[in-house]
Amino acid sequence: MLAFQTANSCLLIIMTKHFLASAAAIILCASASAEITVNYPSPTPTGELIVERASIASVASARRQSDLKIVSDTIKTEGRISSSFATPDDTDYRFELSFGKDNQADFYTRPGESLTVNVTQFNPIRFTVTGTPLMDGMSQIMTEAIPIEEEAIEIQKGLKPKENFPALLERFVAVYTNFIEKNPESPAAVFAMLSLEPENFQKYESMVAPTAALSALYPLYEQKRAQVNAQMEAERRRQAMSSGNVDAPAFTLPDLDGKEVSLSDFKGKWVILDFWGSWCGWCIKGFPALKEAYTKYQPELEVIGIDCQEPVENWKAGVKKHQLPWVHLYLAQDRQTELLQAYGVQGFPTKVIINPEGKIVNITSGEDPAFYGQLAKFMGK
């Protein structure tokens, strides 16, 4: 079953995932439904199509996968070159459709619209979606991005040097920003905004603001804007907190044995707070380097792992599986917002360096090798 991701996560990884495929389903029509016709080359890779839909409003409001109210249909495509389907009611929908691995699609519908999806190839899938200003504009953006996407894949495969990637990323961002500059009133400009990093989002926000509320994607735009504002505020907080003049926020949390442990217990030592979870792939990838630093700088340094966003049993199993030798504390769900905001945590892993006086000197989001150079510098090693 194809995982139905939130829009932001899908839209932010378009260089490593193919967009906008096509699909077919036979669904009972309602009077205000959207009508979709799909034309595709035959045969299809699997002989069937999986169609998943969720309202755009639910995609925007969902905090986790389980919050999405997804409806799924399977359509037989063998021997067919086209299909038609309609949305079941007068709701704005996001569809995710799959002809199998590497042949997946996202598109959006509003009541009363009529869209045509033309698939020209599979493996990888190539297509256009036309019939509405939103999908016309999105198809234009995606078509311009295809050569960049293909070059990125070549870099990933080692066929082109990694040094080409920064310039490639600039070209990729330019596809979106150029569209916004030339078409600020287009509903697809709102789509383009969803793919921008915070600085560019804030730069172009005023351009699309007058008409953004009219787009079907406005709930996702509002969600993105809230996230950008929170991220920028967190970054400002992180910079202020990393000055070496701010006391690390105090906390007391239970360890693996249920004993209450406080940050103040470690005053006089260098401390790394590692906000992590056993579900976090990048957290796990960073453990070897963290273990090396822990061994190298003991007893001057202590590492405190603070587990987030998972059940207690998963946390304990993760500590055991990865053989993590430092202090481990558990951050319960009802306390997460307060402590994560206090430390400006926006993603995982986040590592915080605290000096022996209890002041924060560094906050690093993500797994960044430069973190350990900073640690050595601060400790005078």
Side-chain angles (χ1 to χ4, degrees):
M1 182 64 65
L2 179 63
F4 195 100
Q5 299 174 310
T6 62
N8 281 334
S9 63
C10 285
L11 297 177
L12 287 174
I13 60 173
I14 43 186
M15 294 190 71
T16 58
K17 177 181 178 181
H18 303 297
F19 266 107
L20 304 175
S22 63
I26 300 174
I27 306 174
L28 184 63
C29 298
S31 59
S33 63
E35 305 285 339
I36 300 98
T37 299
V38 184
N39 303 313
Y40 45 85
S42 182
T44 59
T46 62
E48 67 179 21
L49 172 69
I50 297 174
V51 181
E52 292 184 332
R53 72 174 187 271
S55 71
I56 294 176
S58 73
V59 173
S61 63
R63 299 186 63 183
R64 56 185 64 86
Q65 187 83 8
S66 58
D67 292 339
L68 287 167
K69 297 179 180 179
I70 303 169
V71 178
S72 180
D73 296 278
T74 300
I75 310 302
K76 296 298 181 182
T77 60
E78 188 172 354
R80 305 184 67 179
I81 61 171
S82 67
S83 300
S84 297
F85 67 94
T87 57
D89 51 38
D90 57 354
T91 299
D92 294 346
Y93 280 110
R94 177 177 181 268
F95 281 87
E96 183 163 303
L97 312 108
S98 173
F99 288 97
K101 185 180 180 182
D102 298 327
N103 289 291
Q104 300 162 2
D106 297 53
F107 65 86
Y108 302 90
T109 65
R110 301 200 88 169
E113 293 180 337
S114 179
L115 287 79
T116 299
V117 183
N118 288 308
V119 182
T120 56
Q121 73 170 53
F122 293 116
N123 300 318
I125 196 165
R126 293 287 181 254
F127 64 94
T128 58
V129 184
T130 59
T132 68
L134 172 60
M135 297 312 306
D136 289 347
M138 286 177 62
S139 288
Q140 177 184 333
I141 291 170
M142 293 296 96
T143 298
E144 292 181 19
I146 283 175
I148 303 173
E149 174 190 332
E150 291 175 341
E151 189 171 343
I153 292 172
E154 290 180 338
I155 292 174
Q156 289 179 332
K157 291 180 177 179
L159 301 176
K160 289 192 175 181
K162 293 182 179 179
E163 291 75 15
N164 291 5
F165 192 80
L168 193 67
L169 181 59
E170 289 184 9
R171 287 171 51 200
F172 175 74
V173 173
V175 169
Y176 290 83
T177 56
N178 289 343
F179 184 91
I180 294 169
E181 290 172 356
K182 295 176 181 177
N183 308 278
E185 297 182 357
S186 168
V190 177
F191 164 78
M193 290 287 290
L194 298 178
S195 296
L196 299 184
E197 292 298 314
E199 293 80 4
N200 272 330
F201 185 95
Q202 291 189 330
K203 176 181 177 180
Y204 289 97
E205 185 177 2
S206 61
M207 284 191 184
V208 303
T211 55
L214 302 177
S215 171
L217 301 184
Y218 187 66
L220 303 180
Y221 174 82
E222 285 282 88
Q223 177 197 48
K224 172 82 173 187
R225 182 165 61 180
Q227 291 173 343
V228 165
N229 289 340
Q231 188 172 343
M232 296 300 287
E233 176 58 31
E235 181 59 32
R236 286 190 287 270
R237 190 182 306 118
R238 280 196 296 267
Q239 291 179 358
M241 290 176 67
S242 299
S243 64
N245 299 314
V246 177
D247 290 329
F251 60 80
T252 300
L253 297 170
D255 67 8
L256 291 165
D257 298 318
K259 178 184 175 182
E260 295 292 314
V261 176
S262 298
L263 176 62
S264 59
D265 298 338
F266 303 92
K267 197 165 187 179
K269 285 190 172 187
W270 287 92
V271 174
I272 295 175
L273 301 183
D274 181 31
F275 291 90
W276 75 291
S278 68
W279 48 267
C280 169
W282 280 107
C283 299
I284 293 168
K285 288 180 181 179
F287 286 151
L290 188 55
K291 286 181 180 180
E292 182 180 348
Y294 178 71
T295 300
K296 183 177 182 179
Y297 298 129
Q298 280 189 310
E300 295 176 69
L301 173 72
E302 186 56 74
V303 175
I304 303 175
I306 300 179
D307 184 85
C308 306
Q309 299 184 356
E310 64 180 340
V312 170
E313 54 270 22
N314 292 18
W315 162 53
K316 291 184 176 181
V319 172
K320 182 177 180 180
K321 177 180 178 180
H322 300 292
Q323 301 180 7
L324 307 179
W326 44 78
V327 175
H328 288 281
L329 306 179
Y330 183 71
L331 182 57
Q333 184 70 35
D334 60 353
R335 298 189 59 184
Q336 285 185 16
T337 298
E338 178 184 358
L339 191 59
L340 296 183
Q341 286 185 350
Y343 279 93
V345 176
Q346 288 288 298
F348 299 91
T350 291
K351 292 182 177 64
V352 181
I353 301 174
I354 301 172
N355 69 18
E357 290 72 45
K359 308 286 187 181
I360 294 174
V361 296
N362 179 271
I363 301 176
T364 297
S365 296
E367 188 52 38
D368 186 353
F371 171 82
Y372 296 98
Q374 292 294 316
L375 175 65
K377 179 180 177 181
F378 286 125
M379 295 184 68
K381 302 296 184 179

PDB file of all heavy atoms in Angstrom, residues 264-282:
ATOM      1  N   SER A 264      20.952  19.830  36.260  1.00  0.00           N
ATOM      2  CA  SER A 264      21.865  20.437  37.239  1.00  0.00           C
ATOM      3  C   SER A 264      22.808  19.418  37.867  1.00  0.00           C
ATOM      4  O   SER A 264      23.853  19.796  38.421  1.00  0.00           O
ATOM      5  CB  SER A 264      21.056  21.137  38.337  1.00  0.00           C
ATOM      6  OG  SER A 264      20.191  20.216  38.992  1.00  0.00           O
ATOM      7  N   ASP A 265      22.482  18.127  37.770  1.00  0.00           N
ATOM      8  CA  ASP A 265      23.353  17.087  38.316  1.00  0.00           C
ATOM      9  C   ASP A 265      24.700  17.039  37.606  1.00  0.00           C
ATOM     10  O   ASP A 265      25.665  16.456  38.139  1.00  0.00           O
ATOM     11  CB  ASP A 265      22.696  15.705  38.195  1.00  0.00           C
ATOM     12  CG  ASP A 265      21.395  15.583  38.986  1.00  0.00           C
ATOM     13  OD1 ASP A 265      21.221  16.379  39.931  1.00  0.00           O
ATOM     14  OD2 ASP A 265      20.584  14.708  38.661  1.00  0.00           O
ATOM     15  N   PHE A 266      24.783  17.644  36.421  1.00  0.00           N
ATOM     16  CA  PHE A 266      25.986  17.533  35.606  1.00  0.00           C
ATOM     17  C   PHE A 266      26.752  18.846  35.501  1.00  0.00           C
ATOM     18  O   PHE A 266      27.669  18.966  34.687  1.00  0.00           O
ATOM     19  CB  PHE A 266      25.609  17.038  34.203  1.00  0.00           C
ATOM     20  CG  PHE A 266      24.878  15.727  34.223  1.00  0.00           C
ATOM     21  CD1 PHE A 266      23.501  15.694  34.257  1.00  0.00           C
ATOM     22  CD2 PHE A 266      25.575  14.536  34.264  1.00  0.00           C
ATOM     23  CE1 PHE A 266      22.817  14.490  34.304  1.00  0.00           C
ATOM     24  CE2 PHE A 266      24.909  13.316  34.307  1.00  0.00           C
ATOM     25  CZ  PHE A 266      23.523  13.296  34.329  1.00  0.00           C
ATOM     26  N   LYS A 267      26.393  19.809  36.341  1.00  0.00           N
ATOM     27  CA  LYS A 267      27.104  21.087  36.310  1.00  0.00           C
ATOM     28  C   LYS A 267      28.564  20.870  36.667  1.00  0.00           C
ATOM     29  O   LYS A 267      28.883  20.093  37.568  1.00  0.00           O
ATOM     30  CB  LYS A 267      26.458  22.082  37.261  1.00  0.00           C
ATOM     31  CG  LYS A 267      26.872  23.525  36.985  1.00  0.00           C
ATOM     32  CD  LYS A 267      25.950  24.519  37.676  1.00  0.00           C
ATOM     33  CE  LYS A 267      26.273  25.946  37.261  1.00  0.00           C
ATOM     34  NZ  LYS A 267      25.381  26.933  37.900  1.00  0.00           N
ATOM     35  N   GLY A 268      29.453  21.534  35.944  1.00  0.00           N
ATOM     36  CA  GLY A 268      30.887  21.318  36.118  1.00  0.00           C
ATOM     37  C   GLY A 268      31.473  20.459  35.015  1.00  0.00           C
ATOM     38  O   GLY A 268      32.700  20.348  34.894  1.00  0.00           O
ATOM     39  N   LYS A 269      30.599  19.847  34.203  1.00  0.00           N
ATOM     40  CA  LYS A 269      31.032  19.053  33.057  1.00  0.00           C
ATOM     41  C   LYS A 269      30.542  19.700  31.768  1.00  0.00           C
ATOM     42  O   LYS A 269      29.574  20.453  31.758  1.00  0.00           O
ATOM     43  CB  LYS A 269      30.456  17.636  33.125  1.00  0.00           C
ATOM     44  CG  LYS A 269      31.113  16.712  34.127  1.00  0.00           C
ATOM     45  CD  LYS A 269      30.612  15.283  33.906  1.00  0.00           C
ATOM     46  CE  LYS A 269      31.380  14.299  34.758  1.00  0.00           C
ATOM     47  NZ  LYS A 269      31.011  12.892  34.414  1.00  0.00           N
ATOM     48  N   TRP A 270      31.222  19.380  30.681  1.00  0.00           N
ATOM     49  CA  TRP A 270      30.656  19.645  29.372  1.00  0.00           C
ATOM     50  C   TRP A 270      29.557  18.626  29.124  1.00  0.00           C
ATOM     51  O   TRP A 270      29.705  17.443  29.462  1.00  0.00           O
ATOM     52  CB  TRP A 270      31.721  19.526  28.286  1.00  0.00           C
ATOM     53  CG  TRP A 270      32.696  20.671  28.290  1.00  0.00           C
ATOM     54  CD1 TRP A 270      33.884  20.742  28.954  1.00  0.00           C
ATOM     55  CD2 TRP A 270      32.538  21.910  27.606  1.00  0.00           C
ATOM     56  NE1 TRP A 270      34.494  21.945  28.730  1.00  0.00           N
ATOM     57  CE2 TRP A 270      33.690  22.684  27.902  1.00  0.00           C
ATOM     58  CE3 TRP A 270      31.569  22.439  26.771  1.00  0.00           C
ATOM     59  CZ2 TRP A 270      33.875  23.967  27.399  1.00  0.00           C
ATOM     60  CZ3 TRP A 270      31.740  23.720  26.259  1.00  0.00           C
ATOM     61  CH2 TRP A 270      32.886  24.473  26.570  1.00  0.00           C
ATOM     62  N   VAL A 271      28.459  19.085  28.553  1.00  0.00           N
ATOM     63  CA  VAL A 271      27.307  18.208  28.328  1.00  0.00           C
ATOM     64  C   VAL A 271      26.827  18.342  26.886  1.00  0.00           C
ATOM     65  O   VAL A 271      26.746  19.463  26.361  1.00  0.00           O
ATOM     66  CB  VAL A 271      26.144  18.546  29.297  1.00  0.00           C
ATOM     67  CG1 VAL A 271      24.898  17.731  28.949  1.00  0.00           C
ATOM     68  CG2 VAL A 271      26.563  18.280  30.736  1.00  0.00           C
ATOM     69  N   ILE A 272      26.544  17.205  26.273  1.00  0.00           N
ATOM     70  CA  ILE A 272      25.817  17.195  24.998  1.00  0.00           C
ATOM     71  C   ILE A 272      24.427  16.647  25.264  1.00  0.00           C
ATOM     72  O   ILE A 272      24.286  15.521  25.753  1.00  0.00           O
ATOM     73  CB  ILE A 272      26.507  16.306  23.936  1.00  0.00           C
ATOM     74  CG1 ILE A 272      27.869  16.864  23.552  1.00  0.00           C
ATOM     75  CG2 ILE A 272      25.618  16.194  22.682  1.00  0.00           C
ATOM     76  CD1 ILE A 272      28.644  15.966  22.593  1.00  0.00           C
ATOM     77  N   LEU A 273      23.394  17.438  24.982  1.00  0.00           N
ATOM     78  CA  LEU A 273      22.032  16.932  24.982  1.00  0.00           C
ATOM     79  C   LEU A 273      21.732  16.439  23.574  1.00  0.00           C
ATOM     80  O   LEU A 273      21.867  17.187  22.599  1.00  0.00           O
ATOM     81  CB  LEU A 273      21.031  18.031  25.358  1.00  0.00           C
ATOM     82  CG  LEU A 273      21.200  18.709  26.707  1.00  0.00           C
ATOM     83  CD1 LEU A 273      20.064  19.722  26.920  1.00  0.00           C
ATOM     84  CD2 LEU A 273      21.219  17.701  27.847  1.00  0.00           C
ATOM     85  N   ASP A 274      21.333  15.180  23.458  1.00  0.00           N
ATOM     86  CA  ASP A 274      21.010  14.602  22.151  1.00  0.00           C
ATOM     87  C   ASP A 274      19.520  14.293  22.124  1.00  0.00           C
ATOM     88  O   ASP A 274      19.070  13.315  22.711  1.00  0.00           O
ATOM     89  CB  ASP A 274      21.828  13.329  21.928  1.00  0.00           C
ATOM     90  CG  ASP A 274      21.556  12.700  20.568  1.00  0.00           C
ATOM     91  OD1 ASP A 274      21.264  13.453  19.620  1.00  0.00           O
ATOM     92  OD2 ASP A 274      21.647  11.461  20.450  1.00  0.00           O
ATOM     93  N   PHE A 275      18.739  15.151  21.442  1.00  0.00           N
ATOM     94  CA  PHE A 275      17.305  14.923  21.272  1.00  0.00           C
ATOM     95  C   PHE A 275      17.126  13.958  20.106  1.00  0.00           C
ATOM     96  O   PHE A 275      17.482  14.279  18.966  1.00  0.00           O
ATOM     97  CB  PHE A 275      16.579  16.245  21.009  1.00  0.00           C
ATOM     98  CG  PHE A 275      16.549  17.169  22.191  1.00  0.00           C
ATOM     99  CD1 PHE A 275      17.571  18.100  22.394  1.00  0.00           C
ATOM    100  CD2 PHE A 275      15.517  17.114  23.116  1.00  0.00           C
ATOM    101  CE1 PHE A 275      17.545  18.952  23.482  1.00  0.00           C
ATOM    102  CE2 PHE A 275      15.477  17.965  24.214  1.00  0.00           C
ATOM    103  CZ  PHE A 275      16.504  18.885  24.391  1.00  0.00           C
ATOM    104  N   TRP A 276      16.569  12.778  20.382  1.00  0.00           N
ATOM    105  CA  TRP A 276      16.558  11.714  19.383  1.00  0.00           C
ATOM    106  C   TRP A 276      15.320  10.837  19.551  1.00  0.00           C
ATOM    107  O   TRP A 276      14.490  11.040  20.431  1.00  0.00           O
ATOM    108  CB  TRP A 276      17.820  10.858  19.525  1.00  0.00           C
ATOM    109  CG  TRP A 276      17.775   9.933  20.731  1.00  0.00           C
ATOM    110  CD1 TRP A 276      17.825  10.295  22.051  1.00  0.00           C
ATOM    111  CD2 TRP A 276      17.634   8.512  20.718  1.00  0.00           C
ATOM    112  NE1 TRP A 276      17.745   9.195  22.873  1.00  0.00           N
ATOM    113  CE2 TRP A 276      17.619   8.072  22.069  1.00  0.00           C
ATOM    114  CE3 TRP A 276      17.537   7.565  19.698  1.00  0.00           C
ATOM    115  CZ2 TRP A 276      17.499   6.727  22.419  1.00  0.00           C
ATOM    116  CZ3 TRP A 276      17.419   6.220  20.054  1.00  0.00           C
ATOM    117  CH2 TRP A 276      17.405   5.815  21.394  1.00  0.00           C
ATOM    118  N   GLY A 277      15.219   9.821  18.697  1.00  0.00           N
ATOM    119  CA  GLY A 277      14.183   8.794  18.802  1.00  0.00           C
ATOM    120  C   GLY A 277      14.651   7.583  18.017  1.00  0.00           C
ATOM    121  O   GLY A 277      15.378   7.720  17.022  1.00  0.00           O
ATOM    122  N   SER A 278      14.265   6.399  18.428  1.00  0.00           N
ATOM    123  CA  SER A 278      14.711   5.193  17.725  1.00  0.00           C
ATOM    124  C   SER A 278      14.099   5.090  16.337  1.00  0.00           C
ATOM    125  O   SER A 278      14.545   4.303  15.505  1.00  0.00           O
ATOM    126  CB  SER A 278      14.355   3.945  18.548  1.00  0.00           C
ATOM    127  OG  SER A 278      12.958   3.762  18.606  1.00  0.00           O
ATOM    128  N   TRP A 279      13.056   5.898  16.066  1.00  0.00           N
ATOM    129  CA  TRP A 279      12.401   5.953  14.756  1.00  0.00           C
ATOM    130  C   TRP A 279      13.157   6.843  13.771  1.00  0.00           C
ATOM    131  O   TRP A 279      12.844   6.879  12.582  1.00  0.00           O
ATOM    132  CB  TRP A 279      10.990   6.521  14.928  1.00  0.00           C
ATOM    133  CG  TRP A 279      10.972   7.775  15.764  1.00  0.00           C
ATOM    134  CD1 TRP A 279      10.778   7.863  17.113  1.00  0.00           C
ATOM    135  CD2 TRP A 279      11.232   9.107  15.319  1.00  0.00           C
ATOM    136  NE1 TRP A 279      10.900   9.172  17.528  1.00  0.00           N
ATOM    137  CE2 TRP A 279      11.170   9.958  16.449  1.00  0.00           C
ATOM    138  CE3 TRP A 279      11.495   9.675  14.076  1.00  0.00           C
ATOM    139  CZ2 TRP A 279      11.367  11.328  16.376  1.00  0.00           C
ATOM    140  CZ3 TRP A 279      11.699  11.044  13.999  1.00  0.00           C
ATOM    141  CH2 TRP A 279      11.632  11.857  15.147  1.00  0.00           C
ATOM    142  N   CYS A 280      14.151   7.574  14.251  1.00  0.00           N
ATOM    143  CA  CYS A 280      14.844   8.611  13.475  1.00  0.00           C
ATOM    144  C   CYS A 280      16.098   8.037  12.831  1.00  0.00           C
ATOM    145  O   CYS A 280      17.097   7.779  13.516  1.00  0.00           O
ATOM    146  CB  CYS A 280      15.180   9.786  14.389  1.00  0.00           C
ATOM    147  SG  CYS A 280      16.301  11.007  13.675  1.00  0.00           S
ATOM    148  N   GLY A 281      16.066   7.855  11.507  1.00  0.00           N
ATOM    149  CA  GLY A 281      17.193   7.270  10.801  1.00  0.00           C
ATOM    150  C   GLY A 281      18.474   8.066  10.931  1.00  0.00           C
ATOM    151  O   GLY A 281      19.559   7.500  11.118  1.00  0.00           O
ATOM    152  N   TRP A 282      18.378   9.402  10.830  1.00  0.00           N
ATOM    153  CA  TRP A 282      19.575  10.218  10.930  1.00  0.00           C
ATOM    154  C   TRP A 282      20.144  10.230  12.344  1.00  0.00           C
ATOM    155  O   TRP A 282      21.357  10.364  12.529  1.00  0.00           O
ATOM    156  CB  TRP A 282      19.294  11.634  10.450  1.00  0.00           C
ATOM    157  CG  TRP A 282      19.307  11.733   8.964  1.00  0.00           C
ATOM    158  CD1 TRP A 282      18.236  11.881   8.132  1.00  0.00           C
ATOM    159  CD2 TRP A 282      20.449  11.654   8.107  1.00  0.00           C
ATOM    160  NE1 TRP A 282      18.625  11.894   6.814  1.00  0.00           N
ATOM    161  CE2 TRP A 282      19.990  11.762   6.765  1.00  0.00           C
ATOM    162  CE3 TRP A 282      21.820  11.501   8.337  1.00  0.00           C
ATOM    163  CZ2 TRP A 282      20.848  11.722   5.678  1.00  0.00           C
ATOM    164  CZ3 TRP A 282      22.676  11.455   7.242  1.00  0.00           C
ATOM    165  CH2 TRP A 282      22.189  11.575   5.941  1.00  0.00           C
TER     166      TRP A 282
END
